[in-house]
Amino acid sequence: MAPDRSARGQRRLRARKAPSKSHRWPICAVIGGNTLWALLFPDVAELPRRERSMARWTLLDPRARLVWCDWERVARDSVHGLRRAAAAQPRNQRIANLIGELMMRSPEFPAWWSEHRVQERSTGLKRLHHPVAGDLELQYEIFTSVADPGQSLVVYCAPSGSPSQERLRLLASWGREPATATTRDTAAES
């Protein structure tokens, strides 16, 4: 995506009231998120930008098992999405590197990968546990850019009037600035 369009998109993303993130398929590399997303997923938001991958975090970080109430389903969905991406872009070295890393480091990944399941989801429900806000049930929808099909926006929202909506409001009231570039980010992108 052109830098000026990307910057515009990032401003819109940060202005959204629903937890939102923008990511680049196929490796679920998070390229931006708004304040509420950063509060929901602080472990991912605080990673250097080049290391922000929801698939990697979900499958390798033990804290992800505490966040995702349905960790196995979310992790399997990540594997199935990676298989789809690998089929669509067989020469993509970043995908190959991530798959290799997950083969070596994730005890579950090799078995799930060998199932040869491919899937693409654009909507669904994710249940997560936040250490402060508690249990949340969030519907999500994925919007893919027409100008750059490799980039998508994921929007999470709680059903109107639900306990999850109230918990998100509480979390949002604490608001803080989204994760900013660290020295490591700047050095890695140079």
Side-chain angles (χ1 to χ4, degrees), residues 5-69:
R5 275 193 293 172
S6 181
R8 249 190 338 255
Q10 291 296 317
R11 283 192 298 276
R12 279 190 226 124
L13 175 64
R14 288 188 185 108
R16 293 192 56 80
K17 300 284 188 223
S20 307
K21 67 174 176 166
S22 177
H23 67 248
R24 179 160 297 284
W25 284 102
I27 58 171
C28 296
V30 178
I31 57 176
N34 65 8
T35 303
L36 192 48
W37 176 83
L39 289 168
L40 274 175
F41 298 99
D43 299 333
V44 182
E46 292 170 359
L47 289 171
R49 184 174 177 186
R50 291 188 183 266
E51 295 177 24
R52 286 187 212 148
S53 164
M54 291 303 287
R56 178 183 287 114
W57 177 76
T58 297
L59 287 155
L60 297 180
D61 192 320
R63 296 172 293 187
R65 293 174 188 256
L66 302 174
V67 171
W68 297 119
C69 297

Coordinates of all heavy atoms in Angstrom, one line a residue, residues 5-69:
R5 N -1.6 6.4 1.5 CA -2.9 5.7 1.8 C -2.8 5.0 3.1 O -3.7 4.9 3.9 CB -3.2 4.7 0.7 CG -3.9 5.3 -0.5 CD -4.5 4.3 -1.4 NE -3.3 3.6 -2.0 CZ -3.4 2.6 -2.7 NH1 -4.6 2.0 -3.0 NH2 -2.4 2.0 -3.3
S6 N -1.6 4.4 3.4 CA -1.4 3.6 4.6 C -1.6 4.6 5.9 O -2.2 4.2 6.8 CB 0.0 3.0 4.7 OG 0.1 2.3 5.8
A7 N -1.0 5.8 5.8 CA -1.1 6.7 6.9 C -2.5 7.1 7.1 O -3.0 7.2 8.2 CB -0.2 7.9 6.6
R8 N -3.3 7.4 6.0 CA -4.7 7.8 6.1 C -5.5 6.6 6.8 O -6.3 6.9 7.6 CB -5.2 8.0 4.7 CG -5.6 9.5 4.5 CD -6.4 9.7 3.2 NE -6.3 8.7 2.2 CZ -5.6 8.8 1.0 NH1 -4.9 9.9 0.8 NH2 -5.5 7.8 0.2
G9 N -5.2 5.4 6.3 CA -5.9 4.2 6.9 C -5.6 4.1 8.4 O -6.5 3.8 9.2
Q10 N -4.3 4.3 8.8 CA -4.0 4.2 10.2 C -4.7 5.2 11.0 O -5.1 5.0 12.1 CB -2.4 4.4 10.4 CG -1.6 3.2 9.8 CD -1.9 1.9 10.5 OE1 -2.0 1.9 11.8 NE2 -2.1 0.8 9.8
R11 N -4.9 6.5 10.5 CA -5.6 7.5 11.3 C -7.0 7.1 11.4 O -7.6 7.2 12.5 CB -5.5 8.9 10.5 CG -4.2 9.6 10.7 CD -4.2 11.0 10.3 NE -4.5 11.1 8.8 CZ -3.6 11.1 7.9 NH1 -2.4 10.9 8.1 NH2 -4.0 11.2 6.6
R12 N -7.7 6.6 10.4 CA -9.1 6.1 10.5 C -9.2 5.0 11.5 O -10.1 4.9 12.2 CB -9.6 5.7 9.1 CG -10.0 6.8 8.3 CD -10.7 6.3 7.0 NE -10.2 7.0 5.9 CZ -9.7 6.5 4.8 NH1 -9.6 5.2 4.7 NH2 -9.2 7.2 3.9
L13 N -8.2 4.1 11.4 CA -8.2 2.9 12.3 C -8.2 3.4 13.8 O -8.9 2.9 14.6 CB -7.0 2.0 12.0 CG -6.8 0.8 12.9 CD1 -8.0 -0.2 12.8 CD2 -5.5 0.1 12.5
R14 N -7.3 4.3 14.1 CA -7.2 4.8 15.5 C -8.4 5.5 16.0 O -8.7 5.6 17.1 CB -5.9 5.6 15.6 CG -4.7 4.8 15.5 CD -3.4 5.7 15.8 NE -2.3 4.8 15.6 CZ -1.4 5.0 14.6 NH1 -1.6 6.0 13.8 NH2 -0.4 4.2 14.5
A15 N -9.2 6.1 15.0 CA -10.4 6.9 15.4 C -11.6 6.0 15.7 O -12.5 6.4 16.3 CB -10.7 7.9 14.3
R16 N -11.5 4.7 15.3 CA -12.7 3.8 15.5 C -12.9 3.6 16.9 O -12.0 3.5 17.7 CB -12.4 2.5 14.8 CG -12.4 2.6 13.3 CD -12.5 1.2 12.6 NE -13.6 0.5 13.0 CZ -14.8 0.6 12.6 NH1 -15.1 1.5 11.7 NH2 -15.8 -0.1 13.0
K17 N -14.2 3.4 17.3 CA -14.5 3.2 18.7 C -14.5 1.7 19.0 O -14.3 1.3 20.2 CB -15.9 3.7 19.0 CG -16.1 5.2 18.8 CD -15.5 5.9 19.9 CE -15.8 7.4 19.8 NZ -14.7 8.3 20.0
A18 N -14.6 0.8 18.0 CA -14.5 -0.6 18.2 C -13.1 -1.1 18.1 O -12.3 -0.5 17.4 CB -15.3 -1.4 17.1
P19 N -12.7 -2.1 18.9 CA -11.3 -2.6 18.8 C -11.1 -3.0 17.3 O -11.8 -3.8 16.8 CB -11.3 -3.8 19.7 CG -12.6 -3.8 20.5 CD -13.5 -2.9 19.8
S20 N -10.0 -2.5 16.7 CA -9.8 -2.8 15.3 C -8.3 -2.9 15.1 O -7.5 -2.3 15.8 CB -10.3 -1.6 14.5 OG -11.6 -1.4 14.7
K21 N -7.9 -3.8 14.2 CA -6.5 -3.9 13.8 C -6.5 -4.0 12.3 O -7.4 -4.4 11.7 CB -5.9 -5.1 14.5 CG -6.4 -6.4 14.0 CD -5.7 -7.6 14.5 CE -6.4 -8.8 14.0 NZ -5.6 -10.0 14.2
S22 N -5.4 -3.6 11.8 CA -5.2 -3.8 10.3 C -4.0 -4.8 10.2 O -3.0 -4.7 10.9 CB -4.8 -2.5 9.7 OG -4.5 -2.7 8.3
H23 N -4.2 -5.8 9.4 CA -3.1 -6.8 9.2 C -2.9 -7.1 7.8 O -3.7 -6.9 6.9 CB -3.3 -8.0 10.1 CG -4.5 -8.9 9.6 ND1 -5.6 -9.0 10.4 CD2 -4.7 -9.6 8.5 CE1 -6.5 -9.8 9.8 NE2 -5.9 -10.2 8.6
R24 N -1.7 -7.6 7.5 CA -1.3 -8.0 6.2 C -1.3 -9.6 6.2 O -0.7 -10.2 7.0 CB 0.1 -7.5 5.9 CG 0.6 -7.9 4.5 CD 1.7 -7.1 4.0 NE 1.3 -5.7 3.8 CZ 0.6 -5.2 2.8 NH1 0.1 -6.0 1.9 NH2 0.3 -3.9 2.7
W25 N -2.2 -10.1 5.3 CA -2.2 -11.5 5.1 C -1.0 -11.8 4.2 O -0.5 -10.9 3.5 CB -3.5 -11.9 4.3 CG -4.6 -12.0 5.3 CD1 -5.6 -11.1 5.4 CD2 -4.9 -13.0 6.3 NE1 -6.5 -11.4 6.3 CE2 -6.1 -12.6 6.9 CE3 -4.3 -14.1 6.7 CZ2 -6.6 -13.3 7.9 CZ3 -4.8 -14.8 7.7 CH2 -6.0 -14.4 8.3
P26 N -0.4 -12.9 4.3 CA -1.0 -14.1 4.8 C -0.5 -14.5 6.2 O -0.9 -15.5 6.7 CB -0.4 -15.2 3.8 CG 0.9 -14.6 3.4 CD 0.7 -13.1 3.4
I27 N 0.4 -13.7 6.8 CA 1.0 -14.2 8.0 C 0.4 -13.5 9.2 O 0.9 -13.6 10.3 CB 2.5 -14.0 8.0 CG1 2.9 -12.6 7.8 CG2 3.1 -14.9 7.0 CD1 4.4 -12.3 8.0
C28 N -0.7 -12.8 9.0 CA -1.4 -12.1 10.1 C -0.5 -11.1 10.8 O -0.5 -11.0 12.0 CB -2.0 -13.1 11.1 SG -3.3 -14.1 10.5
A29 N 0.4 -10.5 10.0 CA 1.3 -9.5 10.6 C 0.5 -8.2 10.9 O -0.1 -7.7 10.0 CB 2.4 -9.2 9.6
V30 N 0.4 -7.8 12.1 CA -0.4 -6.7 12.5 C 0.4 -5.4 12.1 O 1.5 -5.2 12.6 CB -0.7 -6.7 14.0 CG1 -1.4 -5.5 14.4 CG2 -1.4 -8.0 14.4
I31 N -0.2 -4.6 11.3 CA 0.5 -3.4 10.9 C 0.0 -2.2 11.6 O 0.5 -1.1 11.5 CB 0.5 -3.2 9.3 CG1 -0.9 -3.2 8.8 CG2 1.3 -4.3 8.6 CD1 -1.1 -2.9 7.3
G32 N -1.1 -2.3 12.3 CA -1.6 -1.2 13.1 C -2.8 -1.7 13.9 O -3.5 -2.7 13.6
G33 N -3.1 -0.9 14.9 CA -4.3 -1.2 15.7 C -4.7 0.0 16.5 O -3.8 0.9 16.8
N34 N -5.9 0.2 16.8 CA -6.3 1.3 17.6 C -6.1 1.1 19.1 O -5.6 0.1 19.5 CB -7.8 1.7 17.2 CG -8.8 0.7 17.7 OD1 -8.5 -0.3 18.4 ND2 -10.1 0.9 17.3
T35 N -6.4 2.2 19.8 CA -6.1 2.1 21.3 C -6.8 1.0 22.0 O -6.2 0.3 22.8 CB -6.5 3.5 21.9 OG1 -5.8 4.5 21.3 CG2 -6.2 3.5 23.4
L36 N -8.1 0.7 21.6 CA -8.8 -0.3 22.3 C -8.3 -1.7 21.9 O -8.2 -2.6 22.8 CB -10.3 -0.2 21.9 CG -11.3 -1.1 22.8 CD1 -11.0 -1.0 24.3 CD2 -12.7 -0.7 22.4
W37 N -7.8 -1.9 20.7 CA -7.2 -3.1 20.3 C -5.9 -3.3 21.1 O -5.7 -4.4 21.7 CB -6.9 -3.2 18.8 CG -6.1 -4.4 18.4 CD1 -6.6 -5.7 18.2 CD2 -4.7 -4.6 18.4 NE1 -5.6 -6.6 17.9 CE2 -4.4 -5.9 18.0 CE3 -3.6 -3.7 18.5 CZ2 -3.1 -6.4 17.9 CZ3 -2.4 -4.2 18.4 CH2 -2.1 -5.5 18.0
A38 N -5.1 -2.3 21.3 CA -3.9 -2.4 22.1 C -4.2 -2.7 23.5 O -3.4 -3.4 24.2 CB -3.1 -1.1 22.0
L39 N -5.3 -2.2 24.1 CA -5.7 -2.6 25.4 C -6.2 -4.0 25.5 O -5.9 -4.7 26.5 CB -6.8 -1.6 25.9 CG -6.3 -0.2 26.2 CD1 -7.6 0.7 26.4 CD2 -5.4 -0.1 27.4
L40 N -6.8 -4.5 24.5 CA -7.3 -5.9 24.5 C -6.1 -6.9 24.3 O -6.1 -8.0 24.9 CB -8.3 -6.1 23.4 CG -9.7 -5.8 23.6 CD1 -10.5 -6.0 22.3 CD2 -10.3 -6.7 24.7
F41 N -5.1 -6.5 23.5 CA -4.0 -7.4 23.2 C -2.7 -6.7 23.5 O -1.9 -6.5 22.5 CB -4.1 -7.8 21.7 CG -5.3 -8.6 21.3 CD1 -6.4 -8.0 20.7 CD2 -5.4 -10.0 21.6 CE1 -7.5 -8.7 20.4 CE2 -6.6 -10.7 21.3 CZ -7.6 -10.0 20.7
P42 N -2.4 -6.3 24.7 CA -1.2 -5.6 25.0 C 0.1 -6.4 24.7 O 1.1 -5.8 24.3 CB -1.3 -5.3 26.5 CG -2.3 -6.3 27.0 CD -3.2 -6.6 25.9
D43 N 0.0 -7.7 24.8 CA 1.2 -8.5 24.6 C 1.6 -8.4 23.1 O 2.8 -8.4 22.8 CB 1.0 -10.0 24.9 CG 0.6 -10.2 26.4 OD1 1.1 -9.4 27.2 OD2 -0.1 -11.2 26.7
V44 N 0.7 -8.3 22.2 CA 1.0 -8.2 20.8 C 1.3 -6.8 20.4 O 2.3 -6.5 19.7 CB -0.2 -8.7 19.9 CG1 0.1 -8.6 18.4 CG2 -0.6 -10.1 20.3
A45 N 0.5 -5.8 21.0 CA 0.8 -4.4 20.7 C 2.2 -3.9 21.1 O 2.7 -3.1 20.4 CB -0.3 -3.6 21.4
E46 N 2.7 -4.5 22.1 CA 4.0 -4.1 22.6 C 5.2 -4.7 21.9 O 6.3 -4.3 22.1 CB 4.1 -4.3 24.1 CG 3.2 -3.4 24.9 CD 3.0 -3.8 26.4 OE1 3.6 -4.8 26.8 OE2 2.3 -3.1 27.0
L47 N 4.9 -5.7 21.0 CA 6.0 -6.3 20.2 C 6.5 -5.3 19.2 O 5.8 -4.5 18.7 CB 5.5 -7.6 19.5 CG 5.1 -8.8 20.4 CD1 4.4 -9.8 19.5 CD2 6.4 -9.4 21.0
P48 N 7.8 -5.5 18.8 CA 8.3 -4.7 17.7 C 7.4 -5.0 16.5 O 7.0 -6.1 16.3 CB 9.7 -5.2 17.5 CG 10.1 -5.8 18.8 CD 8.8 -6.3 19.4
R49 N 7.2 -4.0 15.7 CA 6.3 -4.1 14.5 C 6.5 -5.3 13.7 O 5.6 -6.0 13.3 CB 6.3 -2.9 13.7 CG 5.3 -2.9 12.6 CD 5.2 -1.6 11.8 NE 4.3 -1.8 10.7 CZ 4.1 -0.9 9.8 NH1 4.7 0.3 9.9 NH2 3.2 -1.1 8.8
R50 N 7.8 -5.6 13.4 CA 8.1 -6.8 12.5 C 7.8 -8.1 13.2 O 7.8 -9.1 12.5 CB 9.6 -6.7 12.1 CG 9.9 -5.6 11.2 CD 11.3 -5.7 10.7 NE 11.7 -4.5 9.8 CZ 11.5 -4.5 8.5 NH1 11.1 -5.6 7.9 NH2 11.9 -3.5 7.8
E51 N 7.6 -8.1 14.5 CA 7.3 -9.4 15.2 C 5.8 -9.5 15.5 O 5.4 -10.5 16.1 CB 8.1 -9.4 16.5 CG 9.6 -9.5 16.3 CD 10.4 -9.5 17.6 OE1 9.8 -9.9 18.6 OE2 11.6 -9.1 17.5
R52 N 5.0 -8.6 15.1 CA 3.6 -8.6 15.5 C 2.8 -9.5 14.5 O 2.4 -9.1 13.4 CB 3.0 -7.2 15.4 CG 3.3 -6.4 16.6 CD 2.6 -5.1 16.5 NE 3.4 -4.0 17.1 CZ 3.3 -2.8 16.8 NH1 2.5 -2.4 15.8 NH2 4.1 -1.9 17.3
S53 N 2.7 -10.8 14.9 CA 1.9 -11.7 14.1 C 0.9 -12.4 15.0 O 1.4 -13.0 16.0 CB 2.9 -12.7 13.4 OG 2.1 -13.9 13.0
M54 N -0.3 -12.3 14.7 CA -1.3 -12.9 15.5 C -1.2 -14.5 15.5 O -1.4 -15.1 16.5 CB -2.8 -12.5 15.1 CG -3.1 -11.1 15.4 SD -2.9 -10.6 17.2 CE -4.3 -11.5 17.9
A55 N -0.8 -15.0 14.3 CA -0.6 -16.5 14.2 C 0.5 -16.9 15.1 O 0.4 -17.9 15.9 CB -0.4 -16.9 12.8
R56 N 1.7 -16.2 15.0 CA 2.8 -16.6 15.8 C 2.5 -16.4 17.3 O 2.8 -17.3 18.1 CB 4.0 -15.7 15.4 CG 5.3 -16.0 16.3 CD 6.4 -15.1 16.0 NE 7.0 -15.4 14.7 CZ 7.0 -14.6 13.6 NH1 6.4 -13.5 13.6 NH2 7.6 -15.0 12.5
W57 N 1.9 -15.3 17.7 CA 1.6 -15.1 19.1 C 0.6 -16.1 19.6 O 0.9 -16.7 20.7 CB 1.0 -13.7 19.2 CG 0.6 -13.4 20.7 CD1 1.4 -13.1 21.7 CD2 -0.8 -13.4 21.2 NE1 0.6 -12.9 22.9 CE2 -0.7 -13.1 22.6 CE3 -2.0 -13.6 20.6 CZ2 -1.8 -13.0 23.4 CZ3 -3.1 -13.5 21.4 CH2 -3.0 -13.2 22.8
T58 N -0.4 -16.4 18.8 CA -1.4 -17.4 19.3 C -0.8 -18.8 19.5 O -1.1 -19.5 20.5 CB -2.6 -17.5 18.3 OG1 -3.2 -16.2 18.2 CG2 -3.6 -18.6 18.6
L59 N 0.1 -19.2 18.6 CA 0.6 -20.5 18.6 C 1.9 -20.7 19.5 O 2.1 -21.8 20.0 CB 1.0 -21.0 17.2 CG -0.3 -21.4 16.4 CD1 0.0 -21.2 14.9 CD2 -0.8 -22.7 16.7
L60 N 2.6 -19.6 19.7 CA 3.9 -19.7 20.5 C 3.9 -19.1 21.8 O 4.7 -19.5 22.7 CB 5.0 -19.2 19.6 CG 5.3 -19.9 18.3 CD1 6.5 -19.2 17.6 CD2 5.5 -21.4 18.5
D61 N 3.1 -18.1 22.1 CA 3.2 -17.3 23.3 C 2.2 -18.0 24.3 O 1.0 -18.0 24.1 CB 2.8 -15.9 23.1 CG 3.2 -15.0 24.4 OD1 3.0 -15.5 25.5 OD2 3.6 -13.9 24.2
P62 N 2.8 -18.5 25.5 CA 1.9 -19.2 26.4 C 0.8 -18.3 27.0 O -0.3 -18.7 27.4 CB 2.8 -19.5 27.6 CG 4.2 -19.4 27.0 CD 4.2 -18.5 25.8
R63 N 1.0 -16.9 26.9 CA -0.1 -16.0 27.4 C -1.3 -16.0 26.5 O -2.4 -15.8 27.0 CB 0.5 -14.6 27.5 CG 1.6 -14.5 28.5 CD 2.3 -13.1 28.5 NE 3.0 -13.0 27.2 CZ 3.9 -12.0 26.9 NH1 4.0 -11.1 27.8 NH2 4.5 -12.0 25.8
A64 N -1.1 -16.4 25.2 CA -2.3 -16.5 24.3 C -3.3 -17.5 24.8 O -4.5 -17.4 24.6 CB -1.8 -16.8 22.9
R65 N -2.8 -18.6 25.4 CA -3.7 -19.6 25.9 C -4.6 -19.1 27.0 O -5.6 -19.7 27.3 CB -2.9 -20.9 26.4 CG -2.2 -21.6 25.2 CD -1.3 -22.7 25.8 NE -0.5 -23.2 24.7 CZ -0.7 -24.4 24.1 NH1 -1.7 -25.1 24.5 NH2 0.1 -24.9 23.2
L66 N -4.1 -18.1 27.7 CA -4.9 -17.5 28.8 C -5.9 -16.5 28.3 O -6.9 -16.2 28.9 CB -3.9 -16.8 29.8 CG -2.9 -17.7 30.5 CD1 -1.9 -16.9 31.4 CD2 -3.6 -18.8 31.3
V67 N -5.6 -15.9 27.1 CA -6.4 -14.9 26.5 C -7.6 -15.5 25.8 O -8.7 -15.1 26.0 CB -5.6 -13.9 25.6 CG1 -6.5 -13.0 24.8 CG2 -4.6 -13.1 26.5
W68 N -7.3 -16.4 24.8 CA -8.3 -17.0 24.0 C -9.0 -18.1 24.8 O -8.4 -19.1 25.2 CB -7.7 -17.7 22.8 CG -7.1 -16.7 21.8 CD1 -5.8 -16.7 21.4 CD2 -7.7 -15.6 21.1 NE1 -5.5 -15.7 20.5 CE2 -6.7 -15.0 20.3 CE3 -8.9 -15.1 21.1 CZ2 -6.9 -13.9 19.5 CZ3 -9.2 -14.0 20.3 CH2 -8.2 -13.4 19.5
C69 N -10.3 -17.9 25.1 CA -11.1 -18.9 25.8 C -11.2 -20.2 25.0 O -11.2 -21.3 25.6 CB -12.5 -18.4 26.2 SG -12.4 -17.0 27.3

